[in-house]
Amino acid sequence: MSDPVDLLLRGARLPDRDDLVDIAIAGERSHIHLDKVLLTDRVTATAGTLEEAIRVTGQAKRGFTVEDITSRARRVLDLAVRAGTTAMRSHVEVDPLVGLTGIEAMLALRAEYAPALDLQLCAFAQEGIVQAPGTEGLLRRALSMGADLVGGCPYNDSDAIEHIRIVFGLATAFGVDADFHVDFSDEPEHLHVREIAAQTVRAGWQGRVAVGHLTELAAVPGFRQDELVAEIAGAGLGVICLPATDLYLMGRQDELNVRRGLTPIKRLLNAGVPVALASNNVRNAFTPVGTADLAHMTFLAALAAHMGTPAELRALLAMITTHPARLLRLADYGLTPGSRADLVVWDCARAEDVAATLPARTLVVKRGRVSVEARHETVDRWRAP
Ligand SMILES: [Zn+2]
């Protein structure tokens, strides 16, 4: 007598094998700023630079309320769940401008969306820590209230090294992971990732630290990239590439051969570094377009990072599934017997079709239950019946 089956998916093709299998169930993910999504009708950004995006969003942030953040974040969470996201990390800004309003709103949404989505909340110092007095205490309170991890943004502070040290102090004091926005420029003017790698090893936090953007890594010569990638791999850092934001904000000073401004994905993957693709921002001054569908990020990265072979297209799928699962340290993740039953049924024949064709998500399964069932019918009426 076999165990009872709640859900049986027949004739499915897994990303890593060619034959069709049945999946018996007896039960994807993202880095995103839910607190500042859907602001394009509220802020005016004309220069399109990172500095302007931070400035105009800081102005808008003074007017945020719990209700406002909740309603904007809910619209984007619904899009993400329908697109097949079953786990997500959201950075939530904590600073003297917005206080703990974002954390308050997002803690309630984490509970509301628990049946569909594991939401990790990263208390995030977007405005700096040293240059924004009071922020460290607010981060501490956010972690006490239930934030899952802590994040910093050393390029936007007056003392980047001290900023990183404070974030690690909080991470180790609360026993939580750390997730930085780092080295977000066209030129290698910061390279703070080296300090983060060193402090990660010093704290014994290998496997618990992620860095987003890291676009400056692409701006040093190849041999130097290899040296830095070795430091990143040695410290067990994960990297999060944010192709929509990075393509939009980088290369703004270039008049000729405008740079793409993406971290060197293939070099990092070849060194064994987990690399995730994430949405980052959805319709605000940092990224004016977006639908919170991670398949779109694979499509963008295929072009912008020159990843077009079948193996590279499958690697892109791993960058929205298994790699981010490692970064979020999700237990029992995968399509193997005994793994937790979180999965997405894509309407396509091969794993590489996800990036190549952006297929529909037929079913989304969370903890063994169907969380989303898509029904969509198109009739080509122009054809003869
Ligand atoms: Zn971000």
Side-chain angles (χ1 to χ4, degrees), residues 31-33 36 91 124 126 181 212-213 242 245 280-281:
H31 153 136
I32 198 164
H33 296 264
K36 56 185 178 191
H91 290 250
F124 179 55
Q126 171 74 68
H181 286 52
H213 299 297
L242 307 158
T245 304
N280 197 38
N281 283 290

Side-chain angles (χ1 to χ4, degrees), residues 42 50 52 83 85 156 159 258 281 318 330 363 381:
R42 208 179 294 182
L50 173 62
E52 180 191 56
T85 299
N156 192 34
D159 186 341
V258 177
N281 283 290
L330 302 179
L363 287 179
R381 291 196 186 276

Side-chain angles (χ1 to χ4, degrees), residues 8-147:
L8 182 63
L9 302 171
R10 289 193 185 277
R13 178 167 280 135
L14 303 180
D16 54 353
R17 47 192 288 178
D18 288 332
D19 55 334
L20 300 180
V21 299
D22 294 344
I23 302 172
I25 296 169
E28 224 179 272
R29 55 236 51 232
S30 183
H31 153 136
I32 198 164
H33 296 264
L34 289 170
D35 51 351
K36 56 185 178 191
V37 295
L38 310 184
L39 289 174
T40 40
D41 57 352
R42 208 179 294 182
V43 302
T44 307
T46 51
T49 61
L50 173 62
E51 295 70 25
E52 180 191 56
I54 291 175
R55 181 169 47 76
V56 299
T57 306
Q59 287 160 3
K61 203 155 62 167
R62 294 171 195 273
F64 284 6
T65 62
V66 169
E67 297 70 32
D68 169 44
I69 294 170
T70 301
S71 69
R72 287 184 289 103
R74 207 182 258 137
R75 283 162 65 193
V76 170
L77 280 164
D78 285 346
L79 291 173
V81 168
R82 288 176 199 144
T85 299
T86 57
M88 175 191 282
R89 174 175 289 176
S90 179
H91 290 250
V92 186
E93 293 181 24
V94 172
D95 52 56
L97 296 178
V98 74
L100 296 162
T101 306
I103 283 287
E104 201 185 314
M106 294 309 307
L107 284 169
L109 287 173
R110 186 177 68 182
E112 179 183 330
Y113 280 81
L117 182 82
D118 293 310
L119 184 56
Q120 291 186 0
L121 302 179
C122 177
F124 179 55
Q126 171 74 68
E127 309 293 340
I129 303 174
V130 181
Q131 71 182 16
T135 299
E136 183 180 355
L138 287 166
L139 291 169
R140 199 178 295 280
R141 280 182 58 196
L143 288 162
S144 301
M145 287 165 71

